[in-house]
Amino acid sequence: MLKTKLAASAAIISLFFGTSVLAESDKDIDILRAEIQNMKQVYEKRIADMEAKLVRVEKKRDQVSVSTGKKVPIRSSRRILSNSYNPSVGLILNGKYSNFSSGSSEIPGFGIGEEGERGKEGPAIGESEMNFSASVDDKFYGSLTSAIVREGGSDKIELEEAYLQSLPGLGLPSGLSLKAGRSLWTLGYLNEHHAHTDDFADRPLPYRAYLNKSFNDDGLATSYVLPTNFYSEIGGGIFRADDFPFGTGDGENTAWSAFARIGGDIGNNQNWRLGGYLLSGESKGSGRKSNEDAVIFKGESDLYVTDLRYVWAPTGNARNKEVIFQTEYFWRSEDGTYQDTENSTGIINFDDSSSGLYIQGVYKFFPRWRVGVRYSRLFSPNVPAGLVGSNLDSANFDPRAYATMIDWTNSEFSRVRLQYNHEKLKDGQTDKQFMMQYVISIGAHGAHKY
């Protein structure tokens, strides 16, 4: 661009002075060269000033405090222009190689959905994604994410998210937002994040047991950021109850959720957020099926979640060093009936509760290197006499798992991770797992939630 402008400037000067310029003395030629050099310096300075101004404007627009609940986007040399009428298109390649020492991954005491299973051994493409998103106009934003998975020996495309969200131009009260469609809804910390943004190659035990990895039912939700001096948000939604942990709703009933969370900054280098959530509904119709459709639950289910996240940048710059502490606690109450068709238990009344938690820490010790540790555990419910010996009999053992990882992030578009898991899901049985994962982002991909 600069060379083009300089060339044009030289052409204009030539036309202005005419051909007689070429016939001037050496002194006049030197003067002309000096003028061209001066114009070059002026243009370079103007371009540098404009680029600096652009960086300041973008930084002011993008850098929202983490206390507002939004993650600060990482600056990149790859600039994505406005996509108001031209959707951003992105691809996520999430490949993994896994090796397990145990042939079984069932979690006694809990009915596990297909997505909550540990996965297959050997190389696999994991859960790759295609995303299309754009601001429809000044009032609405739309997004669609499809996951490419391999199930039953064949590749399938599953609709993970397809939603419409309100923008400030809609005229709603400041801080109020509406979302309709299918989405990774607000429930704890990890649920509203795509799996490829996780700090570990797999999700902790409570997410596998209680949410089949994530809850993304069809529904309508709202959230409201309160006008307080610190970050505070409330919200909730209603859902079709077609997704785990409710199973097939068949349009007969709905589920609902509510949440509240607060957060803030501690000085300039630290921030925190604490939240409480409730997801409640009833499994009717064909019920909630798990363990490859062998275990069926029908009845009411209430899931309570609380989460805490703390982030510290020791040097004041999170790009260089960062410490993240994160934990979530789950408590589920169920009142209904269970049936284990694999063990022919018949229909057994069930009215009990169970719980689970995970605690993890991640330390970025160099700009591109991180290490992390995670502990997760489930506390099994009391099993009725009719279910003794079935998939739901934990034999008074509480499953637990330990994970360690190290990853290398070349940029926000590529990451490679090594992870080791030590799982004890049954009494006397240990599963040693080794995983190697890569996550590649191609195309436009917006900043992720805090």
Side-chain angles (χ1 to χ4, degrees), residues 373-432:
V373 293
R374 184 184 69 195
Y375 168 75
S376 58
R377 183 168 181 170
L378 295 170
F379 299 91
S380 305
N382 296 319
V383 61
L387 293 175
V388 173
S390 70
N391 289 305
L392 295 169
D393 184 6
S394 66
N396 296 318
F397 182 80
D398 295 329
R400 66 206 66 175
Y402 308 85
T404 60
M405 75 85 185
I406 182 170
D407 62 30
W408 176 72
T409 304
N410 184 56
S411 70
E412 63 266 39
F413 305 106
S414 63
R415 172 172 288 169
V416 178
R417 175 181 291 126
L418 296 177
Q419 181 171 322
Y420 171 76
N421 291 354
H422 188 89
E423 293 189 348
K424 298 187 69 174
L425 306 184
K426 296 181 180 179
D427 192 11
Q429 177 179 309
T430 299
D431 188 9
K432 299 177 182 179

Side-chain angles (χ1 to χ4, degrees), residues 115-341:
E115 295 294 328
E117 298 176 355
R118 69 180 181 186
K120 306 295 184 181
E121 278 196 290
I125 62 170
E127 186 177 284
S128 298
E129 295 179 357
M130 296 183 296
N131 175 265
F132 302 85
S133 60
S135 296
V136 181
D137 47 35
D138 63 324
K139 295 178 174 58
F140 298 102
Y141 170 85
S143 180
L144 183 147
T145 301
S146 296
I148 306 172
V149 298
R150 189 168 185 82
E151 295 179 359
S154 60
D155 296 324
K156 298 180 181 179
I157 297 180
E158 297 180 350
L159 186 61
E160 189 169 87
E161 289 192 292
Y163 64 84
L164 191 68
Q165 188 170 14
S166 64
L167 294 175
L170 189 59
L172 297 174
S174 178
L176 181 64
S177 176
L178 298 176
K179 181 188 285 189
R182 181 177 300 176
S183 177
L184 296 170
W185 302 105
T186 302
L187 180 67
Y189 181 80
L190 286 179
N191 191 75
E192 57 184 328
H193 293 76
H194 292 270
H196 67 266
T197 69
D198 289 0
D199 294 320
F200 291 81
D202 60 343
R203 293 219 151 164
L205 292 180
Y207 272 87
R208 293 167 57 187
Y210 293 130
L211 296 174
N212 196 25
K213 195 173 71 173
S214 61
F215 176 68
N216 63 332
D217 203 359
D218 298 348
L220 171 68
T222 182
S223 63
Y224 179 48
V225 179
L226 301 173
T228 56
N229 293 331
F230 57 93
Y231 166 68
S232 56
E233 183 182 11
I234 59 175
I238 55 173
F239 313 104
R240 184 178 173 84
D242 246 356
D243 190 38
F244 205 96
F246 305 110
T248 304
D250 300 331
E252 298 179 9
N253 59 291
T254 58
W256 62 276
S257 73
F259 74 90
R261 54 192 181 188
I262 58 175
D265 295 330
I266 306 174
N268 297 323
N269 302 342
Q270 305 172 71
N271 61 79
W272 62 276
R273 197 185 75 183
L274 173 67
Y277 314 79
L278 167 62
L279 177 63
S280 178
E282 187 173 3
S283 298
K284 293 183 178 180
S286 56
R288 181 183 74 211
K289 297 181 179 181
S290 56
N291 292 52
E292 299 182 356
D293 297 341
V295 176
I296 301 173
F297 171 78
K298 294 183 181 181
E300 298 178 358
S301 178
D302 297 322
L303 181 63
Y304 299 84
V305 185
T306 182
D307 71 329
L308 172 64
R309 182 176 168 89
Y310 167 79
V311 181
W312 174 40
T315 63
N317 187 349
R319 292 188 181 184
N320 296 328
K321 287 188 177 182
E322 186 178 45
V323 177
I324 301 176
F325 170 83
Q326 182 177 309
T327 182
E328 294 186 64
Y329 175 78
F330 293 71
W331 185 79
R332 183 174 71 180
S333 175
E334 293 182 313
D335 184 4
T337 63
Y338 266 104
Q339 182 180 11
D340 188 342
T341 58

